[in-house]
Amino acid sequence: RVHGDFSGIRHRLMLGLWLVSYISGALLFLLLTLCVACGLYYLAELIEEHTQLTKKILQVTIWVIQVAHVALWLVDGLPFMNICLGIGAHAAYLRLLRSFPFIHLTSGEFIGSCVLLALDHFLWFRFFGSTYFPFAEVIGFFGMCVWLVPFVLFISLSANESTLPMAAARASESGRGASSFKSILDLFSRRKDTSAGAFDLTSKYS
């Protein structure tokens, strides 16, 4: 009987620990998402303030990634077609830098780079899905050779109008001067300030 009571208590404790672990995991995920959003916001601000430096860094990064593609083909024997497509995709990204930070979303260069990006993803996903590599190596390859440059170019879209004269006034009128995650964070900030003001008024007149 004592053993049965102890088993029941242990079962309740295990259930409690299970709930605590899931709640703490959800909180950690929310905190991680907030940290990533803040990092993206800060990175977008840096790109807007230093567009020419960002352009030079992107050019050098693209050249390094293209050389890395050739090295991976020679050393590790990665598929030649995938390597050529990856180099071609980054060549398309390099053409986008000619008018950086002004990227026209309806231009043939932008549409072509998006098509090459999708094909590059498809071929590499198919290759790594059929050939075993450690997960860390796959993530490292995708992070550097597939995702890095398109990710920075996506963030730099917020600098299209921010680098023009009177950009702030046009951005406030049209609502197009900032990227989506910056707009979301600004919205949360304005709501927080509004709530704080309402709380102060309530405390004052109560």
Side-chain angles (χ1 to χ4, degrees):
R1 183 177 179 181
V2 175
H3 179 71
D5 295 340
F6 179 76
S7 299
I9 295 174
R10 183 179 180 183
H11 177 72
R12 289 194 295 271
L13 290 176
M14 293 295 292
L15 179 61
L17 291 175
W18 179 79
L19 292 175
V20 169
S21 64
Y22 269 85
I23 293 173
S24 61
L27 291 176
L28 289 176
F29 177 77
L30 291 176
L31 291 176
L32 180 61
T33 303
L34 180 61
C35 291
V36 171
C38 292
L40 292 178
Y41 187 95
Y42 180 69
L43 184 59
E45 290 288 344
L46 288 179
I47 292 175
E48 291 178 5
E49 295 176 3
H50 308 283
T51 54
Q52 293 303 316
L53 178 60
T54 302
K55 180 178 179 179
K56 294 179 181 179
I57 293 176
L58 279 174
Q59 287 176 340
V60 174
T61 302
I62 290 174
W63 294 335
V64 170
I65 292 175
Q66 288 177 328
V67 172
H69 274 79
V70 177
L72 289 171
W73 174 59
L74 294 175
V75 176
D76 294 337
L78 296 184
F80 180 75
M81 181 180 297
N82 297 36
I83 293 295
C84 291
L85 185 60
I87 294 175
H90 283 81
Y93 307 151
L94 193 61
R95 289 179 62 87
L96 289 176
L97 295 181
R98 294 187 304 177
S99 59
F100 185 86
F102 307 106
I103 300 176
H104 304 285
L105 302 182
T106 57
S107 64
E109 294 178 349
F110 179 79
I111 296 175
S113 63
C114 291
V115 172
L116 289 175
L117 174 63
L119 291 175
D120 194 30
H121 270 83
F122 172 75
L123 289 182
W124 285 118
F125 272 122
R126 187 176 65 175
F127 170 73
F128 286 110
S130 60
T131 307
Y132 173 76
F133 283 89
F135 181 75
E137 296 181 5
V138 176
I139 290 297
F141 175 83
F142 272 94
M144 176 180 176
C145 297
V146 180
W147 295 333
L148 179 60
V149 175
F151 179 72
V152 178
L153 288 175
F154 171 75
I155 295 178
S156 66
L157 291 178
S158 63
N160 282 347
E161 293 190 0
S162 300
T163 54
L164 294 174
M166 304 300 293
R170 288 201 306 273
S172 60
E173 294 175 359
S174 61
R176 296 179 299 170
S179 56
S180 58
F181 50 84
K182 289 183 63 180
S183 301
I184 293 173
L185 289 178
D186 289 338
L187 177 62
F188 278 120
S189 178
R190 289 195 298 269
R191 286 188 175 181
K192 180 179 179 182
D193 295 339
T194 304
S195 300
F199 178 76
D200 292 339
L201 290 175
T202 304
S203 301
K204 182 178 180 180
Y205 290 103
S206 60

